[in-house]
Amino acid sequence: MRIGFGSDQNGFECKERLRARFAEQGHEAEDVSAGDPSRSDFWCVTDELASALYARRFDRGVLVCASAIGASVAANKHPGVRAALCHDVDSACHGVEDDDMNLLVMRSRVVTENLALQLADAFIQASYVPKEQERGIPPRRLARVIEHVRKNLDKPLAVSVLSRVAEMSQSHFSKLFKLSTGLAPHQFVLQERINRSKELLRQGDAKIVDIALGVGFENQAHFTTVFGNLVGMTPRQFQRSSGSEAGEMYRPQLSVAECW
């Protein structure tokens, strides 16, 4: 692994020990600090190390300095740099595994050299494994999509349309939408259309063809087929059954309020 090291005057000795250790292990260990430790300014060292990480000159970076918080803030202003101040092994490890941290910052006046070695070992040995997002679409975006569907049932509601409403790519939207609702986007749209058609059929005075067109079906025949598959009876039978919903295949429709 290509590892960049940096320090101010206070962290010089600790940094040198760390660099030597990882060089012995076969890593490419390079120091970006000035040759004279008395002239090593942490702002310049931080900028040099963060810039090298952004340029992919290094895979990981280790910085030891007295102004560790300021260095972390400064480093994170560089694109592609994910720096964190860590003083315990668990944070150094999980910072990489969970958040893809690539710059370990340690405060020279707080960590001992032995602790610094443990922290750096955990940091270098850890690997980032991308994880599938488990929460689905953020609640406010999901609510916006659902509201759009319910207000536009009589219009085409393709995945391309809904993904634009959610401001996401089609593939990403489809995956996260199913995590959020348990249904693929086209299944959800069909569910909403059938739910709305049931409300209109219960009124008893609307023509089935008008209901079919009003909830977004191209014709009455298609509506009747989908309705029968999902509900277990024809629209006419449902209309005559006094609102009975026996045989319904989908769960109760989602409430927009429940998504907030």
Side-chain angles (χ1 to χ4, degrees):
M1 182 180 291
R2 299 169 302 169
I3 309 170
F5 291 87
S7 73
D8 61 3
Q9 181 178 0
N10 292 287
F12 179 80
E13 291 184 6
C14 180
K15 178 259 300 180
E16 285 296 290
R17 186 177 174 187
L18 289 170
R19 184 172 64 87
R21 176 187 180 89
F22 288 106
E24 289 175 0
Q25 293 177 355
H27 297 285
E28 296 181 24
E30 183 180 336
D31 184 10
V32 302
S33 308
D36 182 355
S38 65
R39 300 181 61 187
S40 296
D41 179 85
F42 90 89
W43 289 108
C44 296
V45 174
T46 299
D47 184 72
E48 177 69 20
L49 189 52
S51 297
L53 283 168
Y54 171 63
R56 298 188 178 180
R57 190 168 125 208
F58 303 128
D59 302 305
R60 303 273 174 88
V62 177
L63 178 61
V64 187
C65 62
S67 302
I69 293 177
S72 298
V73 172
N76 282 318
K77 293 180 180 179
H78 290 253
V81 177
R82 297 168 294 280
L85 169 62
C86 299
H87 287 158
D88 65 274
V89 172
D90 189 64
S91 296
C93 178
H94 286 286
V96 177
E97 294 179 345
D98 299 338
D99 301 300
D100 199 17
M101 179 176 72
N102 59 5
L103 177 56
L104 171 65
V105 183
M106 295 179 282
R107 189 173 181 184
S108 56
R109 294 175 180 174
V110 173
V111 298
T112 63
E113 287 192 8
N114 285 334
L115 177 57
L117 289 172
Q118 295 176 36
L119 294 172
D121 279 342
F123 170 64
I124 298 301
Q125 292 171 12
S127 299
Y128 174 62
V129 180
K131 299 178 181 177
E132 192 69 50
Q133 186 170 352
E134 298 177 352
R135 295 188 174 182
I137 298 176
R140 290 182 182 274
R141 292 195 189 191
L142 179 60
R144 192 162 69 235
V145 172
I146 292 174
E147 184 177 13
H148 180 83
V149 169
R150 292 177 178 169
K151 288 184 176 180
N152 296 277
L153 289 174
D154 60 333
K155 300 180 179 65
L157 291 169
V159 173
S160 58
V161 174
L162 301 183
S163 63
R164 284 198 296 271
V165 174
E167 299 177 335
M168 304 171 76
S169 69
Q170 292 187 41
S171 59
H172 195 50
F173 169 78
S174 296
K175 183 187 298 182
L176 297 190
F177 189 89
K178 189 165 186 178
L179 281 174
S180 298
T181 66
L183 297 172
H186 74 278
Q187 291 176 317
F188 182 84
V189 170
L190 280 179
Q191 171 187 284
E192 291 298 314
R193 284 177 167 150
I194 294 303
N195 285 338
R196 178 57 180 155
S197 71
K198 287 179 181 179
E199 295 175 4
L200 298 173
L201 287 168
R202 287 194 188 101
Q203 296 175 9
D205 55 356
K207 294 182 179 180
I208 291 178
V209 63
D210 293 335
I211 292 175
L213 299 176
V215 297
F217 288 91
E218 294 181 357
N219 52 62
Q220 183 176 338
H222 184 210
F223 168 61
T224 299
T225 298
V226 174
F227 192 98
N229 289 337
L230 300 185
V231 181
M233 63 181 74
T234 67
R236 182 70 65 194
Q237 289 170 330
F238 182 89
Q239 194 175 44
R240 292 172 178 172
S241 66
S242 300
S244 170
E245 296 187 8
E248 182 175 359
M249 294 178 62
Y250 285 101
R251 64 186 181 183
Q253 76 174 34
L254 293 171
S255 167
V256 172
E258 293 172 357
C259 299
W260 288 76

